[in-house]
Structure formats: C-alpha cells, structure tokens
Amino acid sequence: MQPDFYTKIERLIMNYFELINKCLTELNYKNVNVFSELIKNEHTKIKNILNTLNAEICLSENWPFLIKKVETLLPRCQGTLENPADGRIFALKIDGKTYKYIPDFECFFTNSQSPETYSTINNTILLPQFEKDKIVEIHYYSKDCVKSADGNFKTYLEYTDDETVIPMPYAEPLLVYGSCMRLKGNPQHIRFNFWLSMYNSALANLRAHCIPSVDYIPEIKMDRGR
C-alpha cells in the first residue's frame, strides 16, 4: 500500500550504501566500491548502528512522514476486527465520526462501553456492534522506517538501494553524524563535538519542518550521545 502523507515532503534520499560510505569517509576509513565488500567488523558495526538510529529517530516522535491510512470492513453484529495498522493508531473513524480510545477493554465484553469508543487487546480492535456493515478508517504512525527500491516499506535497511523514510536534507546528517558518534562513543574524540552539533541541528530543523501549526512549539533536547 502506498503511504498516505498528510504533509508532502520532497525527498532526495541517500541510499543505504551511500550512507555507509559517507560514514566511512567521515571516520577516515576507506570507502568500498560495491555493497558486497562490506565485510569488515567496522562495516558491520556501522550497518547495525545506522539501522538502530534510523528506527529510534522514526519511533521517537509523531512524524508526519510516517502517517498512513487504512480502511477495513467491520461486519454487522461483530465487535472485533484484526488490527490492520502496522504501527501506532492515532485516529479511528466510522461514518465520519472519530472514536475515542479507552484502555478499559473489558467493558466491550459486556457491551457497557461509552458511545463512540474503541479499545484494543493484543492485535485485536474492540468496537461496538452495528446492525449494518461498517467501513472503519484507521490513521496511524507506521513503524516501517525504510523504503525499498521497488517502493515497498519495511522495518530495516538491508540492501544497497534501501532508503530511510526520514526526509532530506535531514536524513544524511542525522544518520551519518549520529552513527559516527555512536561508533566512537567518546566525547573526547577530535570530531565528536562537530558530529553532535550537526546531529542536533538536523534534528531541530526536522522538528521545525514538521511543526503542524504555528501554535505548536517543539521541545528540543540536546545531549552528548550515548
């Protein structure tokens, strides 16, 4: 399914292989010519860190570039459906009305829930029972933070042409400088403060770019890495 972006962001993303080579350059390591040459211990560490960092950034906030929508059928007289959303639900609608999430899922088993509410248990969505079939519209933040060359979305960077869903120009400094910081892990490293500054600047700019309203002020946290 194609992503349903609420904010269209033009992206020109460096692919996985290019990000790795950029990290190697920044660390004064030798670049490689093809993906199959990434066999050294340092190469493996960089690949793992890139994946971990990419996922952490994407799951850390409610980014608009992760928003997707899916519709599913709720059959008549049925109050449960398998959750089709591969991520965190933030809005569920039926007949144009937004239903409120409640954590008390047990009330749905006794049909004593408040009107226009829903709950979840495991991977099941609990809803009121209707006399007619209903289309349930689910808006959610996807946990898929990678796009493959064929346009499919997935969780991890694996192949040469895989790309992060983090938009440019923020993806490169976030992933490259963030990965270099984590790999070295030493604030005394000669380039650590530069990497930290570039990473924090890119994160602040990404947050500012994704502000949904002039009335919303994001909270920026500066740290020295892990």
Side-chain angles (χ1 to χ4, degrees):
M1 183 186 71
Q2 292 299 313
D4 184 16
F5 284 33
Y6 284 65
T7 300
K8 293 183 179 180
I9 303 174
E10 294 296 330
R11 300 188 298 122
L12 181 60
I13 298 296
M14 296 183 74
N15 64 35
Y16 189 28
F17 181 62
E18 291 167 337
L19 285 171
I20 295 170
N21 260 336
K22 190 67 182 289
C23 288
L24 293 174
T25 298
E26 192 64 31
L27 293 162
N28 291 321
Y29 295 156
K30 183 179 179 181
N31 278 193
V32 298
N33 296 314
V34 293
F35 197 83
S36 60
E37 293 178 354
L38 295 168
I39 56 176
K40 296 183 178 180
N41 186 46
E42 293 300 303
H43 297 158
T44 300
K45 288 181 180 179
I46 291 172
K47 288 193 287 186
N48 289 337
I49 291 172
L50 277 170
N51 262 302
T52 299
L53 188 60
N54 185 53
E56 286 181 359
I57 293 171
C58 286
L59 298 178
S60 66
E61 300 194 20
N62 296 332
W63 303 113
F65 53 83
L66 290 176
I67 291 177
K68 291 185 180 181
K69 181 181 74 174
V70 63
E71 293 182 348
T72 188
L73 176 68
L74 177 66
R76 61 183 297 272
C77 300
Q78 179 176 307
T80 63
L81 59 84
E82 184 177 351
N83 185 4
D86 192 18
R88 295 168 290 142
I89 298 173
F90 70 87
L92 183 148
K93 298 182 180 182
I94 300 175
D95 293 337
K97 297 179 180 180
T98 300
Y99 279 55
K100 180 182 178 182
Y101 172 79
I102 58 173
D104 182 17
F105 60 83
E106 293 182 354
C107 65
F108 284 84
F109 299 140
T110 58
N111 201 30
S112 59
Q113 74 276 7
S114 300
E116 297 178 8
T117 59
Y118 78 98
S119 190
T120 59
I121 180 172
N122 298 324
N123 197 44
T124 300
I125 298 176
L126 307 177
L127 289 159
Q129 296 183 25
F130 298 94
E131 295 181 357
K132 297 180 180 180
D133 292 351
K134 295 290 182 178
I135 297 297
V136 181
E137 183 179 304
I138 299 173
H139 303 254
Y140 65 101
Y141 293 100
S142 175
K143 68 179 182 181
D144 291 332
C145 50
V146 175
K147 182 180 179 181
S148 65
D150 58 7
N152 291 320
F153 290 84
K154 56 184 182 177
T155 307
Y156 299 108
L157 295 157
E158 298 176 274
Y159 306 114
T160 300
D161 294 329
D162 286 348
E163 299 176 350
T164 175
V165 298
I166 300 172
M168 284 293 280
Y170 318 106
E172 180 183 342
L174 282 173
L175 296 179
V176 172
Y177 298 127
S179 294
C180 290
M181 279 195 299
R182 291 200 177 183
L183 182 65
K184 291 303 179 182
N186 180 13
Q188 303 305 315
H189 189 280
I190 190 171
R191 292 185 62 79
F192 190 91
N193 285 335
F194 169 75
W195 294 333
L196 176 63
S197 175
M198 296 298 288
Y199 174 87
N200 280 331
S201 177
L203 185 57
N205 288 331
L206 175 60
R207 284 170 171 158
H209 184 88
C210 293
I211 290 176
S213 167
V214 294
D215 296 319
Y216 175 81
I217 302 176
E219 182 178 322
I220 305 297
K221 295 182 179 180
M222 308 286 279
D223 59 56
R224 297 183 63 83
R226 299 188 173 187

